Structure formats: structure tokens, C-alpha cells
Amino acid sequence: MSVSYKVEEQASAAYREDFENSGYTLVRGLFGADEVDVLRDHYMELRHRGAHPGDFAGLQTDSRDPLRRYPRMAQMHRWDDASLRWMIDARLDQVMTALLGRSPYAVQTMIYFKPPGSRGQALHQDNFYLKAEPGTCVAAWMALDQVDEANGCLEVVPGSHRWPILCTEKADTKVSFTDVTVPLPEPDAAVPIEMEPGDVLFFHGALVHGSAPNVTTDRFRRALIGHYIEGEAERVAQYYHPALRMDGSTLELEIAEGGGACGEWTDTPDGPVAVMTGTQTITRKHE
């Protein structure tokens, strides 16, 4: 899938400015329509074949829960060549190199199907799960369908990448398939990111993000996601080993442990500030 691609200097500067100021940058049309069609069909075929290594939840084709009929898949690159090629594609590498200053390490692939009627995912920060140190993780979130508020597009809190990793609390599992979330100083701070197939949203590991349910009756919201860590990182959570360089070669990193201090909101004369006064009591092995 890899093609010749060069991030223009002007575009590179704009992407980096967005990423530094807001914690994310949206690259429109990074992958072509034909490529997206092939990938979408490929993952639907894999899902229809049955269970695969790395499935997060059991496949129940007769379940009333859409997410049981189409559970998300993870770490497909470990057994699927198409996923590996996409994960280390030169276009993703060059954008992230422009954002970070050096090539990242690749540690995870995921595919979300999010069929009609599915629950969303509560607001969270990726590095709560990956625990990349030093530095952080970065996500490359590619739309395989048109995504909007109706089918549960990604929602982000601009500027939240400057926050520490916040202490988690229980999420409402009636609307979220995950059971933990993070509190916000302003409840309506998240903004929707509408995307076309082939668009890729790159975002910082501390950026608070999530999604609402898919309330449509006939539209999937499929997304292919790669998680990466900054090229100077020395540790990452055990689930994400082995890490790969963007040429596909493996490298050895240390295992990052969970727990420790986390941010709690405190009122100050200048407004709420997240300070590291809490201790993380909830742990999860993966995102």
C-alpha cells in the first residue's frame, strides 16, 4: 500500500502548529478512495469469517448488541499483512515525523466497525493505557466511512493534550462500551470531528477524546487506527510489545508499569487546574 509521498514544508508547518496548539491535526485525503474501499471490504470479510486473534470481545452473530455482532479487532498487524502495510505506511510516518521531529515506533492496530445502534466510547486519554515514557503516544485515526455526529464521529477536547493523565472514574455503560472515563472542568468541552473516507486524524496521547453512540439505522462508522509512541520512548505497557520501527523491524523496549499519580481538578482564581494530587486506582491492560 505504501506510495511515494512527501509532506510539503508549508503543510508540515501547519500540521505541526495545529498539533502543538490543539493536540491534534486532521489530514484530509491522505489515503485514496480506492485504497479505502479495499481496506473496508477486507476488514468486513475478516469480521464475517469469525473470530481472530486479538478480538476484544466475543463474536456473537445473533446478539441484540451490535457490538457483539461486530466487535472491534486489535493487533491485526501481527497476523494480517494488509494491516501491517497500513500501520507502517510512509504517509503516516512522514506526517508523524513532521509532528514529532523524528519517526515514531508503531505498537498497535485497531479496527472499529461501530454498526448502526452501537454505543460510543467514553472520553479518555490514550496514554492512560499505553503508558509511553518518556514522551507520549500518538494515534492515527483513519475514517473508512463518512463520519459525522449521527453515526458517532470522534469528539475531542482541544488543548487537553496539555493536561496530565487524569484520574479515571466510572463511565455510563449504557452509552459507552468502555467502563472508565475522565471528568472535564467544562462538561460540553468536546467538539465533533467530521471526516470523509481516507482522512486521518493524528492526536496526542493526552488529548481527551471519545465518541457518542451511532444513532443511525443503516450506517456503519468504520475506522482503522494505529497507535504509535514517540521515537525517544523507552517504555510502553506490556500489551503493546513488541514495538516496530516504521521499516517493520522490531525493537526491544522496557515494560511500563501502571498506577501512580494522576490529575484531579482544583479550582483556582484563574479557573480549574488539573494537579497531580490523585492516585490511579483503576488499571486496564489495553485501550
Side-chain angles (χ1 to χ4, degrees), residues 20 48 110 164 166 218 225 233 265 274 283:
E20 291 175 353
H48 288 151
M110 302 174 71
L166 299 169
D218 59 354
I225 302 148
W265 292 108
T283 60

Side-chain angles (χ1 to χ4, degrees), residues 266-278:
T266 300
D267 290 329
T268 75
D270 297 322
V273 174
V275 294
M276 302 294 283
T277 54

Side-chain angles (χ1 to χ4, degrees), residues 90-105:
R91 289 164 286 187
L92 300 176
D93 187 17
Q94 290 189 28
V95 172
M96 284 185 283
T97 298
L99 299 178
L100 304 172
R102 61 179 290 182
S103 184
Y105 301 144

Side-chain angles (χ1 to χ4, degrees), residues 3-281:
V3 300
S4 176
Y5 179 75
K6 178 67 175 177
V7 180
E8 297 296 332
E9 185 174 348
Q10 185 174 2
S12 174
Y15 297 153
R16 187 164 54 250
E17 182 178 8
D18 284 347
F19 190 79
E20 291 175 353
N21 291 339
S22 301
Y24 63 94
T25 190
L26 177 58
V27 181
R28 298 284 187 186
L30 188 59
F31 287 76
D34 290 346
E35 294 175 289
V36 172
D37 288 345
V38 169
L39 285 168
R40 187 192 307 114
D41 291 345
H42 173 69
Y43 288 113
M44 291 299 284
E45 173 62 23
L46 288 180
R47 186 71 290 166
H48 288 151
R49 287 182 195 171
H52 296 280
D55 281 355
F56 275 108
L59 176 65
Q60 300 178 14
T61 57
D62 58 350
S63 175
R64 297 179 60 184
D65 183 350
L67 295 178
R68 290 289 186 179
R69 298 195 300 272
Y70 289 91
R72 58 181 176 155
M73 301 163 65
Q75 305 301 47
M76 305 88 65
H77 67 280
R78 295 178 179 173
W79 52 269
D80 176 56
D81 287 343
S83 300
L84 176 61
R85 289 195 301 271
W86 179 84
M87 181 191 204
I88 60 174
D89 189 276
R91 289 164 286 187
L92 300 176
D93 187 17
Q94 290 189 28
V95 172
M96 284 185 283
T97 298
L99 299 178
L100 304 172
R102 61 179 290 182
S103 184
Y105 301 144
V107 296
Q108 187 180 34
T109 45
M110 302 174 71
I111 176 75
Y112 284 72
F113 295 94
K114 200 166 188 179
S118 298
R119 288 167 290 165
Q121 185 173 11
L123 293 172
H124 64 283
Q125 296 165 295
D126 285 347
N127 213 39
F128 164 72
Y129 300 93
L130 278 82
K131 304 176 181 65
E133 303 170 344
T136 190
C137 59
V138 177
W141 197 102
M142 186 170 84
L144 297 181
D145 296 293
Q146 183 181 33
V147 297
D148 49 41
E149 291 187 77
N151 68 351
C153 65
L154 209 63
E155 299 178 0
V156 303
V157 180
S160 58
H161 65 300
R162 299 189 185 93
W163 301 348
I165 297 301
L166 299 169
C167 301
T168 53
E169 59 186 28
K170 291 183 178 180
D172 182 356
T173 54
K174 295 184 181 67
V175 294
S176 169
F177 70 85
T178 51
D179 64 353
V180 295
T181 188
V182 293
L184 298 181
E186 299 177 11
D188 299 324
V191 299
I193 305 292
E194 298 193 345
M195 299 168 63
E196 297 294 327
D199 294 350
V200 182
L201 185 73
F202 297 87
F203 55 92
H204 190 281
L207 185 80
V208 174
H209 65 286
S211 67
N214 180 348
V215 297
T216 71
T217 59
D218 59 354
R219 295 169 54 210
F220 280 73
R221 192 229 62 183
R222 288 160 289 210
L224 181 57
I225 302 148
H227 282 117
Y228 305 81
I229 59 178
E230 292 191 73
E232 68 271 18
E234 299 172 357
R235 295 173 292 280
V236 70
Q238 186 168 18
Y239 174 79
Y240 302 92
H241 291 250
L244 302 179
R245 299 179 183 89
M246 293 302 280
D247 63 4
S249 62
T250 60
L251 73 155
E252 294 292 330
L253 297 174
E254 297 176 23
I255 295 174
E257 302 296 336
C262 53
E264 296 179 311
W265 292 108
T266 300
D267 290 329
T268 75
D270 297 322
V273 174
V275 294
M276 302 294 283
T277 54
T279 300
Q280 195 64 263
T281 58

